[in-house]
Amino acid sequence: MKRFVFLDRDGTLVRDEGYTHRVEDYELLPGAVEGLQRLVAAGFSLAIVSNQSGIGRGYFDEAAYEAFRDHLERDLTDRGIPIERSYHCPHTPDAGCDCRKPEPGMVLQAARDFEIDLAASWVVGDRDHDVELAERAGCAGGILIEAKGGPGTALDLAMAADQILSKAP
Ligand SMILES: [Mg+2]
Ligand SMILES: [Zn+2]
């Protein structure tokens, strides 16, 4: 059984200008590489869980999503940060799917794809729905990344990683 950290993508790993999908807009956020390297060194596996309603809204297509995903995964792998798999929800909010966060569908799919100890796994993201996802999927907890900070939140992924590592055995 592996411990996972489920990572939101936009606004958590990469700069989010809204419906981010162009490789030329790709930019890792400060603290992301450091935080992920610490999690990997501590034995966590990583997966990305991302709402991508821009696909369902027709702003960009699956091929554009995949090109951005491949670029991100390759860049992180080159830095010693393997991503086990990226999951995304392409649906609009009114589609009623079971994968759009805070629905737990993406994490539950990952638990079918890998041997995951969900109770020892975490979610990190920049929206309340990321923290709610952690609760709904039965994870150990969710860490909210907030630029302005606040109780129980982290300023960036490096701080989020430190919070997880301070709570994980
Ligand atoms: Mg986000
Ligand atoms: Zn969905």
Side-chain angles (χ1 to χ4, degrees):
M1 298 280 272
K2 292 179 176 174
R3 299 177 301 162
F4 268 64
V5 177
F6 297 101
L7 302 156
D8 172 52
R9 195 191 78 179
D10 301 338
T12 299
L13 290 174
V14 301
R15 191 167 56 88
D16 183 18
E17 295 294 312
Y19 302 107
T20 302
H21 65 283
R22 276 188 293 265
V23 170
E24 50 267 41
D25 295 332
Y26 172 80
E27 186 183 325
L28 284 174
L29 287 169
V33 169
E34 297 87 330
L36 297 178
Q37 287 176 338
R38 281 175 215 162
L39 292 171
V40 169
F44 280 98
S45 298
L46 305 175
I48 294 171
V49 290
S50 183
N51 284 354
Q52 293 293 328
S53 71
I55 298 170
R57 298 175 204 268
Y59 297 163
F60 55 94
D61 60 13
E62 288 280 350
Y65 163 78
E66 288 167 13
F68 192 96
R69 175 201 63 195
D70 292 349
H71 187 79
L72 168 62
E73 289 188 353
R74 206 174 306 123
D75 186 29
L76 291 176
T77 300
D78 287 348
R79 299 164 190 265
I81 301 163
I83 300 296
E84 301 298 328
R85 196 163 297 179
S86 292
Y87 297 90
H88 73 291
C89 165
H91 307 112
T92 55
D94 58 2
C97 70
D98 63 5
C99 46
R100 183 177 166 83
K101 296 181 287 186
E103 294 295 327
M106 291 187 281
V107 167
L108 298 182
Q109 181 61 50
R112 289 191 288 273
D113 295 340
F114 302 94
E115 299 266 303
I116 301 181
D117 182 357
L118 283 179
S121 297
W122 295 77
V123 180
V124 180
D126 69 328
R127 300 284 182 86
D128 289 339
H129 65 218
D130 295 306
V131 176
E132 197 178 334
L133 167 65
E135 290 168 19
R136 291 209 197 176
C139 294
I143 307 281
L144 184 67
I145 290 183
E146 252 189 352
K148 63 180 189 299
T153 71
L155 293 174
D156 62 15
L157 204 37
M159 195 179 285
D162 288 343
Q163 290 186 14
I164 290 171
L165 296 177
S166 73
K167 292 171 185 165

